[in-house]
Amino acid sequence: MSAIINRRDWLKTGSLAALALGFSSSSMGNEEGLLRNFGANLGLLNLGSNENPYGISPKAKEALLSILGESHRYQFNVPLLMNFEKEIGDYYKVGNKQVLATAGSGDALGKLARHFNKGALVTATPTFATLPNAAKKMGTKVIEVPLTADKKHDLPAMLQAIDSNTQTVYICNPANPSSTVLPTQQLKDFCKEASKKAVVIIDEAYIDFLDNPGQQSMIGLIDEHPNIVVVRTFSKIHAMAGLRIGFVVGHPSVTAAMREGIFVNSQMAISNPAMMAALASLKDEAHRENCKQKNAAARDYTIQSLKALNIEAVPSYTNFIFFPLGKYPGDFASDMLKKNAIVRSNIYPDGKWARVSIGTMDEMQQFMGLMKSAWKS
Ligand SMILES: Cc1ncc(COP(=O)(O)O)c(C=O)c1O
């Protein structure tokens, strides 16, 4: 119990005190401009970061322990890791030189923004903001195409927005924060068409929550379409957000050019334990399936319970739910934080919306308990 700080103690810490006093600083917003707070495991219900609450695969845990004794070694001296990118490539059935390992997919998105730093980027709004924000900082013009009324990417409008100045297009599928997925064939057709004029970057952070991730991924297009790039992470279904590992899959011409621009071997930014755990986790399909099923059950429960409060969430294909706040009078995320729960909320042109990550069933029951009182108050 002593390891868990009670709320009053926690309020005394500088960062939350600043928040409670209403100070705002850019470090408190995440890329989506939504409220971001500090630290899980502080007695808070942390449903703000789309983490996987079931933890890493037991096989990944074993792999982590097994590599600790090699911590003094650089990765190029650890035979098991020498072919890391090739092994990822083999798993996803892409060629030897098509994988660029990164320290999480956020790192991949930042590297892509730096590499493709000319002209304009066409993307959706709202979307996961790391790439658009990094692009803006690089001086790239960012064209934001609103999602459709059902919160999907508006592919025809995005195609129309591409012109001779467009260098890149970014699509997050499934989408964050809206939790929707695009029909596979429609997205493939879009990728083929758009990649005639620009580099199309597909962020598949949440793809493993879908029924057929292998078929629904755009990775299969890469061989024949050098202008299509896919970004993946081990932070979501693999539950390795703290280990920081992800990768880019692209045509060898793209990955080679990116490597040139990074100057040092980018894989060296990733720790040996992260790589070991990632390889082991890929082999544990049963753990992933288990996480997926538990996520789906807790998600269905939450969507149905929100419905009972007359809240119609967007149908979710991910480990989070996006729902309208209607005429909710205050700042929803701040109000929930006062009840010890971290969620996100934001004001968009069509009103106030909230995003809640799917925790365990028990956590979602706690969340619904808080929702019921928040909705009444
Ligand atoms: C769509 C999307 N892409 C990328 C990321 C970055 O994740 P990471 O850097 O942990 O791989 C996130 C994190 O929430 C995300 O939602």
Side-chain angles (χ1 to χ4, degrees):
M1 180 63 208
S2 61
I4 300 177
I5 302 172
N6 73 31
R7 183 160 188 272
R8 187 178 300 159
D9 290 342
W10 195 57
L11 270 167
K12 286 184 198 147
T13 65
S15 37
L16 190 67
L19 182 69
L21 288 169
F23 295 154
S24 73
S25 91
S26 58
S27 65
M28 285 180 187
N30 77 341
E31 305 81 0
E32 295 142 330
L34 304 177
L35 197 65
R36 166 161 286 174
N37 293 291
F38 322 94
N41 306 323
L42 294 173
L44 289 163
L45 187 57
N46 194 333
L47 302 174
S49 309
N50 302 343
E51 294 156 344
N52 178 342
Y54 306 106
I56 62 171
S57 133
K59 289 186 181 153
K61 216 173 263 181
E62 250 172 58
L64 278 176
L65 293 174
S66 76
I67 197 73
L68 290 183
E70 298 292 312
S71 296
H72 57 300
R73 300 245 176 253
Y74 282 111
Q75 58 189 236
F76 47 75
N77 290 325
V78 179
L80 281 170
L81 296 176
M82 275 173 183
N83 296 318
F84 176 76
E85 286 174 338
K86 181 179 177 312
E87 286 184 52
I88 296 283
D90 288 349
Y91 183 86
Y92 287 101
K93 300 189 174 54
V94 298
N96 194 0
K97 303 231 158 61
Q98 290 178 246
V99 174
L100 181 79
T102 55
S105 58
D107 180 34
L109 296 170
K111 286 189 163 95
L112 285 161
R114 278 200 298 279
H115 183 71
F116 296 110
N117 61 2
K118 306 270 184 316
L121 161 72
V122 170
T123 188
T125 182
T127 190
F128 186 68
T130 294
L131 180 68
N133 282 352
K136 279 178 203 162
K137 286 183 181 148
M138 297 304 302
T140 303
K141 187 172 170 199
V142 177
I143 315 271
E144 297 176 323
V145 178
L147 297 176
T148 56
D150 55 358
K151 301 294 164 198
K152 292 188 179 153
H153 283 78
D154 189 339
L155 295 180
M158 289 183 81
L159 213 46
Q160 257 190 342
I162 299 172
D163 64 18
S164 58
N165 192 35
T166 309
Q167 190 186 26
T168 44
V169 178
Y170 172 62
I171 289 189
C172 181
N173 188 60
N176 184 5
S178 56
S179 78
T180 52
V181 69
L182 288 160
T184 307
Q185 195 52 49
Q186 265 178 38
L187 182 57
K188 279 190 179 164
D189 292 345
F190 172 88
C191 286
K192 288 181 194 166
E193 195 53 37
S195 66
K196 291 177 187 162
K197 300 172 193 153
V199 174
V200 181
I201 299 166
I202 307 292
D203 183 339
E204 296 186 346
Y206 300 97
I207 194 105
D208 287 305
F209 289 100
L210 300 180
D211 288 340
N212 293 304
Q215 286 164 27
Q216 289 168 275
S217 170
M218 296 297 121
I219 287 180
L221 295 180
I222 282 165
D223 268 344
E224 288 181 15
H225 301 274
N227 270 354
I228 299 173
V229 174
V230 172
V231 178
R232 287 288 189 100
T233 181
F234 281 91
S235 296
K236 304 300 174 182
I237 197 88
H238 292 278
M240 294 185 188
L243 281 170
R244 310 308 305 135
I245 183 152
F247 57 95
V248 173
V249 191
H251 191 270
S253 59
V254 176
T255 47
M258 285 183 71
R259 270 183 236 282
E260 284 280 302
I262 295 164
F263 304 125
V264 291
N265 177 355
S266 74
Q267 197 178 301
M268 289 294 285
I270 306 160
S271 74
N272 292 355
M275 287 192 286
M276 282 295 284
L279 292 178
S281 188
L282 279 179
K283 293 187 187 116
D284 194 348
E285 209 166 308
H287 182 70
R288 287 204 296 286
E289 197 46 44
N290 192 273
C291 293
K292 195 157 124 177
Q293 281 175 17
K294 285 181 176 157
N295 175 68
R299 183 176 66 194
D300 288 352
Y301 158 80
T302 312
I303 289 182
Q304 291 312 320
S305 307
L306 287 171
K307 212 173 250 174
L309 294 177
N310 286 326
I311 300 171
E312 202 61 47
V314 175
S316 168
Y317 293 84
T318 63
N319 64 341
F320 54 91
I321 292 175
F322 194 54
F323 58 91
L325 291 168
K327 293 190 174 21
Y328 185 85
D331 178 333
F332 179 71
S334 297
D335 291 350
M336 291 300 273
L337 183 62
K338 287 179 198 139
K339 297 173 190 284
N340 279 4
I342 300 178
V343 299
R344 308 286 182 86
S345 65
N346 206 358
I347 303 174
Y348 297 115
D350 63 346
K352 289 182 181 179
W353 287 78
R355 194 197 74 186
V356 60
S357 304
I358 302 300
T360 61
M361 184 64 92
D362 179 57
E363 287 174 322
M364 299 325 287
Q365 284 165 353
Q366 288 179 51
F367 167 71
M368 285 313 306
L370 299 177
M371 269 307 285
K372 281 175 199 151
S373 63
W375 229 234
K376 273 187 227 130
S377 60

